[in-house]
């Protein structure tokens, strides 16, 4: 895997985390729980999981819309939505 790919994966993960934290700031604890469910923690942490919200054209607004939709489903208990 090239350095460009790793950088893009890190950028995607950071963009998703920051979007959730800023857009849903009033639900801070739930946001952190959701982030933990997506990427895991400790040795099992995998930022590649954020890739499920991207698509071939790498449209950021589409990615963030999919992320919000999944977060809202998760909030409503629709675990199968992920």
């Amino acid at each position: 895997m090239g350095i460009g790919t790793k950088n893009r994966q890190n950028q995607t993960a950071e963009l998703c985390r920051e979007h959730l934290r800023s857009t849903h700031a009033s639900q801070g604890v739930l946001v952190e729980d959701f982030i933990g469910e997506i990427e895991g923690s400790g040795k099992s942490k995998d930022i590649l999981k954020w890739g499920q919200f991207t698509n071939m054209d790498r449209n950021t607004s589409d990615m963030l819309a999919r992320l919000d939709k999944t977060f809202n489903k998760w909030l409503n208990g629709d675990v199968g939505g992920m």
Side-chain angles (χ1 to χ4, degrees), residues 3-78:
I3 189 96
T5 301
K6 289 181 182 179
N7 286 338
R8 188 169 45 254
Q9 291 166 342
N10 282 324
Q11 288 171 346
T12 297
E14 189 57 34
L15 180 61
C16 287
R17 284 188 222 106
E18 289 305 313
H19 173 76
L20 287 168
R21 288 175 178 143
S22 65
T23 305
H24 306 282
S26 64
Q27 299 165 310
V29 173
L30 292 171
V31 166
E32 295 306 319
D33 287 347
F34 180 75
I35 290 171
E37 283 197 28
I38 294 293
E39 64 186 29
S41 62
K43 290 184 180 186
S44 67
K45 185 173 182 174
D46 183 3
I47 64 164
L48 300 180
K49 301 284 183 154
W50 295 105
Q52 67 184 302
F53 302 107
T54 62
N55 61 9
M56 293 302 287
D57 66 359
R58 297 186 188 156
N59 183 306
T60 302
S61 59
D62 287 349
M63 176 184 72
L64 297 178
R66 281 189 292 279
L67 176 61
D68 284 333
K69 183 178 180 180
T70 303
F71 178 68
N72 287 320
K73 281 184 170 184
W74 179 84
L75 281 176
N76 293 317
D78 184 7

